[in-house]
Amino acid sequence: MTKSVSEQVLKGLMLLSLDGDEAAYRRLLVILRDLLLAFYRRRLGSNADRDAEDLVQEVLLAVHSRRITYDRERPFTAWFFQIAKYKLIDHFRVNGSKRGAEIALGDEIAAEFREEALFAHLDIDRLLDQLPAKQRELLRQVKIAGKSTAEAAMESGQSEAMVRVSIHRGMRAIGRKLGFANDEK
Amino acid sequence: MTKNDEFIEALVSNLTPVRHHALRVRLALTIMIGVIGAAIALLISLSFRPHLHHVTVAAFWVKFLYTAVLMTATIAALERVARPEGSIGSMVRVLVVAFSIVVLLAITQLGLSPASSYPGLIVGYSASFCPFLIVAFGIPAFCANMWFLRRAAPTRPALAGFVAGACAGGVGGWVYSWACVENGIPFIAIWYTLGILLGGLVGSLVGKFSLRW
């Protein structure tokens, strides 16, 4: 259900982009970037931030320069997912040692790289969109991008305590929206 | 984050509209280049090779249609394999059916002919160079196909290379059939098929190394 919603939204943005709509294209790329960043970070571990960001750029660049290969009649998410997966496997191939075992491991991880996992993230995006901008940004950085509260505090210019409170409130708000009132503290 | 934002802005400012069926149009252009290239190769080769006499109408059409079917099937597969989620679809099935029909026709022809004519029907005049000429005629098509694929998004390089090579072989074989002097259907079944397969194998090797992006 949610998957078909994200498919509709993303496909709509892609079709507008193919017609040359810059605003739609910007929105599409930002969504895709957030999806990919969170996803690659989780897959590569937090000490591979650079790699994750490089991968994200590579995928976005491939989406851009090879957008002619998108067939307007077919699902966008499947097309995009294949590019993201190809780039991840390529990353393991290039960066892994040349021993077969490591490459096999790369394939295994790639096999676990499922379309649903990538797009499950979109639900979170929609929940976050209902929060105030500041809270949303903090939640995104700490709970999704995996930054520490200290880092988030530095970036937002707030104290760490304020960041903690803000995140706690944001999480409670989301909990309420999801229908469980976890106000037990 | 800001580095990423700049990157996105750069992509956005570089956005140009993509027409409907743009990939298909590009593929049509690619194939046209390949056919024209093969036709030029044919004209050049005719000046070396005496244009030999009577080819039976039946043999001409078997060659012409067999290679046309192989070419069409591989062109369709080329479009699919150029897309990241692409599989080669029903290409293999079409190729197997076309090959089986030609083999049946070949067996029928052998059955209807005296044994003394078998060498002519199977090996003919040109078996030693026919497959290589088909590959050679396909070289312009192969270059065009690789150009097409390198600007597309094939996620299985060896398979994509195979399709590009077999398609080039199909184009080469089709053009070659316009002026081929053989009358044996067994000849077509063996040497034309070998030439096209050879193209596919070369393509698969080249693709494995050059179709990464």
Side-chain angles (χ1 to χ4, degrees):
Chain A
M1 214 46 182
T2 47
K3 215 188 124 197
S4 67
V5 170
S6 59
E7 166 62 28
Q8 275 174 20
V9 170
L10 293 176
K11 184 172 179 171
L13 288 173
M14 182 63 175
L15 292 181
L16 287 171
S17 305
L18 288 177
D19 290 337
D21 183 331
E22 292 194 355
Y25 193 44
R26 185 175 295 111
R27 174 103 182 90
L28 177 70
L29 290 178
V30 167
I31 294 177
L32 296 182
R33 178 200 59 195
D34 288 353
L35 281 177
L36 288 168
L37 209 51
F39 196 78
Y40 283 142
R41 274 191 182 141
R42 234 178 303 142
R43 280 294 166 281
L44 299 174
S46 52
N47 53 349
D49 244 28
R50 268 236 75 76
D51 284 0
E53 281 187 19
D54 287 351
L55 259 175
V56 170
Q57 288 207 352
E58 274 205 39
V59 173
L60 294 184
L61 187 61
V63 163
H64 179 78
S65 58
R66 295 168 201 275
R67 62 191 188 279
I68 190 175
T69 64
Y70 173 62
D71 182 343
R72 291 168 198 250
E73 314 295 318
R74 300 178 68 183
F76 171 78
T77 48
W79 177 80
F80 171 69
F81 169 71
Q82 287 300 332
I83 293 180
K85 181 175 158 190
Y86 179 78
K87 283 293 177 189
L88 183 66
I89 293 175
D90 196 55
H91 172 81
F92 285 125
R93 195 179 55 83
V94 172
N95 294 340
S97 88
K98 281 163 187 82
R99 280 179 299 129
E102 300 241 355
I103 291 167
L105 181 70
D107 284 346
E108 203 175 288
I109 294 172
E112 179 197 310
F113 178 96
R114 299 222 176 285
E115 204 171 347
E116 303 89 70
L118 182 55
F119 290 101
H121 188 61
L122 265 196
D123 300 327
I124 300 173
D125 261 358
R126 272 189 302 135
L127 285 168
L128 285 179
D129 278 347
Q130 300 168 18
L131 297 177
K134 254 189 194 164
Q135 246 175 32
R136 180 168 66 218
E137 194 45 42
L138 285 175
L139 275 178
R140 194 164 271 155
Q141 286 187 8
V142 175
K143 294 292 176 188
I144 298 177
K147 288 190 181 160
S148 68
T149 43
E151 280 175 281
M154 282 261 285
E155 279 189 28
S156 64
Q158 299 175 43
S159 74
E160 214 182 319
M162 278 299 292
V163 168
R164 269 185 225 281
V165 169
S166 192
I167 286 172
H168 183 64
R169 283 191 187 142
M171 291 303 280
R172 272 206 348 226
I174 285 181
R176 249 177 271 125
K177 292 217 161 82
L178 287 173
F180 36 87
N182 55 343
D183 288 332
E184 80 304 313
K185 197 177 147 192
Chain B
M1 267 326 204
T2 51
K3 193 188 79 177
N4 257 324
D5 286 338
E6 277 167 30
F7 183 71
I8 286 181
E9 278 314 309
L11 294 184
V12 169
S13 65
N14 193 15
L15 179 70
T16 48
V18 173
R19 273 174 302 136
H20 285 251
H21 306 301
L23 191 70
R24 245 162 249 170
V25 172
R26 191 184 281 174
L27 178 60
L29 184 75
T30 303
I31 299 302
M32 244 165 58
I33 293 170
V35 171
I36 292 170
I40 292 173
L42 178 71
L43 287 177
I44 294 171
S45 79
L46 282 182
S47 61
F48 291 101
R49 221 155 36 105
H51 191 164
L52 281 161
H53 21 282
H54 53 273
V55 180
T56 60
V57 178
F60 173 79
W61 282 110
V62 172
K63 281 182 265 195
F64 187 86
L65 290 178
Y66 179 49
T67 48
V69 167
L70 297 196
M71 184 174 70
T72 311
T74 48
I75 291 171
L78 194 58
E79 194 214 328
R80 302 184 59 142
V81 88
R83 301 183 191 276
E85 73 280 46
S87 62
I88 51 173
S90 51
M91 179 187 90
V92 175
R93 239 173 302 145
V94 175
L95 298 190
V96 168
V97 169
F99 179 65
S100 310
I101 291 173
V102 171
V103 166
L104 277 179
L105 289 174
I107 292 170
T108 312
Q109 191 188 28
L110 287 178
L112 295 173
S113 309
S116 62
S117 67
Y118 284 8
L121 293 179
I122 296 171
V123 183
Y125 315 91
S126 54
S128 60
F129 56 83
C130 161
F132 302 107
L133 271 185
I134 287 179
V135 172
F137 280 23
I139 288 174
F142 185 66
C143 296
N145 289 351
M146 293 303 273
W147 168 82
F148 170 77
L149 283 180
R150 284 179 61 85
R151 292 159 49 113
T155 46
R156 285 187 281 178
L159 179 69
F162 181 87
V163 174
C167 177
V171 171
W174 184 61
V175 171
Y176 184 79
S177 79
W178 300 350
C180 166
V181 295
E182 301 291 346
N183 282 317
I185 298 174
F187 180 94
I188 301 165
I190 298 168
W191 305 108
Y192 272 65
T193 310
L194 265 182
I196 291 165
L197 270 182
L198 188 62
L201 288 180
V202 172
S204 146
L205 273 178
V206 175
K208 204 171 168 193
F209 296 103
S210 70
L211 286 180
R212 301 206 176 273
W213 44 279

